[in-house]
């Protein structure tokens, strides 16, 4: 929803009256929709204490309010990952058939990693609705699945919507297109939406995501800044900005943004994780490890298993850098326990990397082979393995793997891996093949190309100019 409403005289007057009543200890009287505007405003500026206070006032006047209780339930899932408490709030909603309540129950299932159950539940709910109510509900479902990165389910539901001109429909379509690599198509839709509603921080953030995935860093920063002009503490914009600055090889500036995120949400382990990534890019490995460990401990307390696993995996990489094989494997075992056998493939790939880092080729090969067996996407897994093999300096092995998937698979949708493949060709003195792989890397994965190939070119060379720029080796031969 657009944040333009928060800049209107009517809302500013409403907020002033509300805050005056609260400050003076007076009874607060607002209608339910006005309460929700105040609550959502505080949420948008990351003042959750005030948002929750406003919810309590709202529930005093409107006990059983679906909107207020749903907001409270989502807040507890975000901060504490407590789905049981969220279910308790859902049970307090007076009208259990309210679409807000139905969507909340599905969202709880998504937080419990039960996407198929949520889909089945929502289909049952939709089948019991009248047609006019069902149309709005379908778009709400699409956006819900999109928020949880369940893009296949979102796309399936979007096919049932007839509101093709609706802004929510267009937003969902753009987000699905981004997930499928159609960045240009998504940008066309988002720019049209922004022409009609330039005060939507969400639209600017989705546009920034598409631009970042294309490696268009200057455009990404511009979109982030537009979002931040609307909402100065918008976390999505700040995370995108930090990622972009890291991709631009400006880790010190990225670190400034990450530390600002930490100030806004001091208890969010994601902030610690990003700070660690910045420090790792700055080669401050000991400090990076400390922040990854902080992220791990904070995520354990908040029961955010995804962050726990991410932090442990980064700690595994660093232990390899420190030459601590035993500790790297111990940390990786803990990450596997936290996954509860979900994502076993990823753990096996990383385990192979650990062994390869220490020259244990047989153990590495066994782990990689098992990872391929468990792989949901064979091609992506081989590309990931081959990239790790390049990082460990085994160019001949990686070269053979890349040729198997990038040149022989017939999959024209492969975006990643071309930069690493180009590096193999360069190291193995295959200049014509290098130029072919380089062209694909610049087109499909410019950030990867910059990360793995930048040391071959004069400092400051733009990645898009690599194909027309002599390498440092070529210059030294002149």
């Amino acid at each position: 929803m657009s944040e333009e409403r928060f800049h209107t005289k009517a809302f500013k007057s409403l907020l002033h009256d509300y805050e005056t009543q609260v400050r003076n200890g007076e009874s607060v009287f607002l209608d339910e929709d006005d309460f929700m505007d105040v609550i959502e405003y505080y949420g948008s500026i990351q003042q959750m204490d005030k948002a929750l206070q406003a919810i309590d006032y709202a529930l005093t006047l409107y006990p059983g309010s679906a909107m207020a209780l749903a907001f409270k339930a989502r807040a507890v899932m975000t901060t504490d990952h407590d789905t049981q408490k969220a279910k308790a709030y859902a049970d307090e909603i007076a009208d259990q058939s309210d679409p807000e309540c139905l969507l909340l129950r599905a969202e709880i299932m998504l937080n419990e990693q039960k996407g198929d159950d949520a889909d089945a539940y929502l289909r049952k709910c939709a089948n019991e609705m009248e047609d006019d109510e069902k149309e709005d509900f379908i778009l709400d479902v699409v956006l819900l699945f999109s928020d949880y990165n369940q893009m296949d389910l979102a796309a399936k539901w979007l096919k049932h919507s007839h509101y093709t001109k609706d802004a929510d429909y267009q937003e969902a379509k753009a987000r699905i297109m981004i997930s499928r690599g159609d960045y240009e198509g998504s940008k066309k839709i988002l720019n049209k939406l922004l022409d009609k509603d330039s005060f939507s921080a969400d639209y600017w953030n989705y546009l920034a995501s598409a631009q970042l995935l294309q490696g268009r860093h200057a455009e990404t920063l511009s979109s982030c800044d537009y979002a931040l002009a609307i909402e100065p503490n918008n976390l999505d914009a700040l995370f995108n900005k930090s990622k972009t600055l890291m991709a631009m090889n400006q880790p010190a500036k990225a670190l400034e943004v990450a530390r600002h995120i930490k100030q806004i949400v001091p208890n969010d382990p994601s902030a610690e994780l990003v700070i660690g990534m910045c420090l790792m890019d700055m080669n401050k490995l000991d400090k990076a490890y400390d922040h990854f460990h902080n992220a791990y401990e904070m995520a354990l307390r908040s029961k955010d298993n995804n962050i726990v696993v991410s932090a442990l995996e980064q700690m595994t990489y660093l232990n390899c850098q420190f030459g601590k094989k035993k500790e790297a494997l111990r940390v990786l075992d803990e990450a596997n326990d936290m996954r509860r056998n979900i994502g076993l493939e990823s753990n096996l790939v990383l385990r192979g990397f650990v062994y390869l880092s220490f020259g244990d080729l047989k153990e590495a090969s066994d782990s990689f082979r098992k990872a391929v067996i468990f792989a949901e996407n064979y091609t992506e897994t081989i590309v990931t393995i081959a990239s790790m093999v390049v990082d460990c300096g085994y160019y001949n092995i990686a070269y053979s793997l890349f040729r198997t998937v990038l040149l022989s698979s017939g999959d024209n949708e492969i975006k990643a891996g071309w930069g690493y493949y180009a590096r193999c060709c360069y190291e193995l003195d295959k200049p014509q093949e290098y130029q072919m792989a380089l062209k694909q890397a610049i087109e499909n994965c410019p950030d990867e190309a910059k990360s793995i190939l930048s040391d071959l070119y004069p400092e400051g060379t733009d990645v898009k100019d690599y194909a027309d720029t002599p390498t440092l080796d070529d210059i030294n031969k002149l």
Side-chain angles (χ1 to χ4, degrees), residues 379-394:
T379 300
E380 288 182 5
T381 301
I382 293 294
V383 167
T384 301
I385 290 170
S387 301
M388 289 181 167
V389 173
V390 171
D391 286 337
C392 293
Y394 295 92

Side-chain angles (χ1 to χ4, degrees), residues 242 253-263 271 274-275 278:
S242 185
K253 289 185 178 180
L255 182 60
E256 289 179 16
V257 178
R259 284 179 169 155
H260 179 53
I261 295 171
K262 174 73 175 173
Q263 289 177 341
V274 174
I275 290 172
C278 295

Side-chain angles (χ1 to χ4, degrees), residues 3-296:
E3 308 312 315
E4 185 174 9
R5 61 196 164 122
F6 297 145
H7 297 270
T8 63
K9 288 183 178 179
F11 177 76
K12 289 178 180 178
S13 175
L14 168 68
L15 183 64
H16 177 267
D17 291 345
Y18 167 80
E19 290 184 336
T20 299
Q21 292 170 9
V22 171
R23 188 167 52 251
N24 293 338
E26 301 171 7
S27 298
V28 179
F29 293 101
L30 299 177
D31 68 35
E32 190 173 1
D33 288 339
D34 285 343
F35 261 124
M36 287 313 302
D37 281 344
V38 170
I39 292 163
E40 289 172 3
Y41 167 74
Y42 285 131
S44 75
I45 61 172
Q46 304 301 320
Q47 293 189 9
M48 291 305 297
D49 288 346
K50 290 185 177 181
L52 293 172
Q53 181 187 41
I55 287 174
D56 289 338
Y57 283 126
L59 290 173
T60 300
L61 286 176
Y62 307 102
S65 165
M67 292 186 290
L69 286 164
F71 191 102
K72 197 168 187 177
R74 291 181 181 112
V76 80
M77 285 191 288
T78 299
T79 56
D80 300 326
H81 297 271
D82 190 339
T83 55
Q84 293 306 309
K85 190 174 286 186
K87 288 176 185 177
Y89 289 136
D91 290 341
E92 292 180 28
I93 294 174
D95 182 1
Q96 288 290 307
S97 66
D98 189 307
E100 193 71 38
C101 181
L102 305 179
L103 290 163
L104 172 60
R105 292 197 180 279
E107 188 167 352
I108 293 169
M109 294 177 199
L110 289 170
N111 272 274
E112 295 176 333
Q113 311 300 318
K114 298 176 181 176
D116 290 339
D117 289 350
D119 178 43
Y121 170 75
L122 291 167
R123 277 190 280 113
K124 179 178 180 294
C125 295
N127 289 336
E128 296 171 355
M129 292 180 176
E130 300 294 333
D131 287 345
D132 57 342
E133 185 181 27
K134 185 187 296 185
E135 281 292 343
D136 290 330
F137 185 71
I138 287 172
L139 282 182
D140 287 337
V141 170
V142 173
L143 293 176
L144 174 63
F145 280 130
S146 298
D147 287 342
Y148 282 83
N149 203 31
Q150 300 279 334
M151 291 306 183
D152 288 342
L153 289 173
K156 183 178 79 171
W157 276 80
L158 192 65
K159 290 178 182 178
H160 296 292
S161 175
H162 299 99
Y163 287 0
T164 57
K165 303 297 183 182
D166 190 278
D168 284 346
Y169 181 100
Q170 294 297 314
E171 175 194 325
K173 184 177 179 181
R175 294 171 69 180
I176 292 166
M177 292 169 83
I178 291 172
S179 74
R180 295 179 173 177
D182 186 358
Y183 307 128
E184 287 300 322
S186 69
K187 283 161 54 179
K188 287 179 182 177
I189 293 173
L190 290 165
N191 279 315
K192 287 181 181 178
L193 289 171
L194 284 164
D195 286 342
K196 297 177 181 177
D197 183 5
S198 61
F199 278 89
S200 173
D202 286 343
Y203 295 162
W204 286 114
N205 283 329
Y206 300 139
L207 183 61
S209 296
Q211 292 163 335
L212 178 57
L213 288 165
Q214 286 184 303
R216 297 185 176 178
H217 300 138
E219 295 175 15
T220 307
L221 290 178
S222 177
S223 295
C224 290
D225 287 341
Y226 275 116
L228 291 169
I230 299 165
E231 294 180 17
N233 290 336
N234 186 285
L235 293 179
D236 287 337
L238 289 167
F239 276 115
N240 272 336
K241 188 169 186 175
S242 185
K243 289 178 190 175
T244 304
L245 290 167
M246 278 195 280
M248 295 172 72
N249 199 27
Q250 297 181 31
K253 289 185 178 180
L255 182 60
E256 289 179 16
V257 178
R259 284 179 169 155
H260 179 53
I261 295 171
K262 174 73 175 173
Q263 289 177 341
I264 299 169
V265 282
N267 297 318
D268 188 340
S270 298
E272 287 286 342
L273 201 62
V274 174
I275 290 172
M277 297 294 288
C278 295
L279 290 167
M280 193 158 67
D281 276 4
M282 297 168 72
N283 206 33
K284 297 182 178 181
L285 303 187
D286 288 328
K287 290 184 178 180
Y289 194 92
D290 289 342
H291 283 280
F292 290 140
H293 194 266
N294 289 344
Y296 158 74

Side-chain angles (χ1 to χ4, degrees), residues 441-466:
I442 293 169
E443 180 179 343
N444 292 303
C445 49
D447 286 343
E448 177 190 304
K450 184 172 184 177
S451 172
I452 196 67
L453 302 173
S454 61
D455 64 309
L456 302 180
Y457 295 94
E459 187 174 351
T461 304
D462 194 304
V463 66
K464 69 177 184 294
D465 297 326
Y466 284 179

Side-chain angles (χ1 to χ4, degrees), residues 350-416:
L350 188 50
R351 186 173 299 275
F353 173 78
V354 173
Y355 285 126
L356 200 61
S357 298
F358 291 93
D360 301 330
L361 298 186
K362 182 183 182 303
E363 291 86 348
S365 178
D366 288 345
S367 292
F368 289 146
R369 190 177 298 110
K370 290 176 184 176
V372 172
I373 292 172
F374 286 102
E376 292 184 8
N377 187 310
Y378 170 85
T379 300
E380 288 182 5
T381 301
I382 293 294
V383 167
T384 301
I385 290 170
S387 301
M388 289 181 167
V389 173
V390 171
D391 286 337
C392 293
Y394 295 92
Y395 298 109
N396 276 305
I397 299 172
Y399 174 78
S400 298
L401 290 170
F402 278 126
R403 284 184 65 85
T404 298
V405 292
L406 296 182
L407 301 185
S408 306
S409 70
D411 187 348
N412 295 323
E413 298 300 316
I414 301 174
K415 301 293 184 183

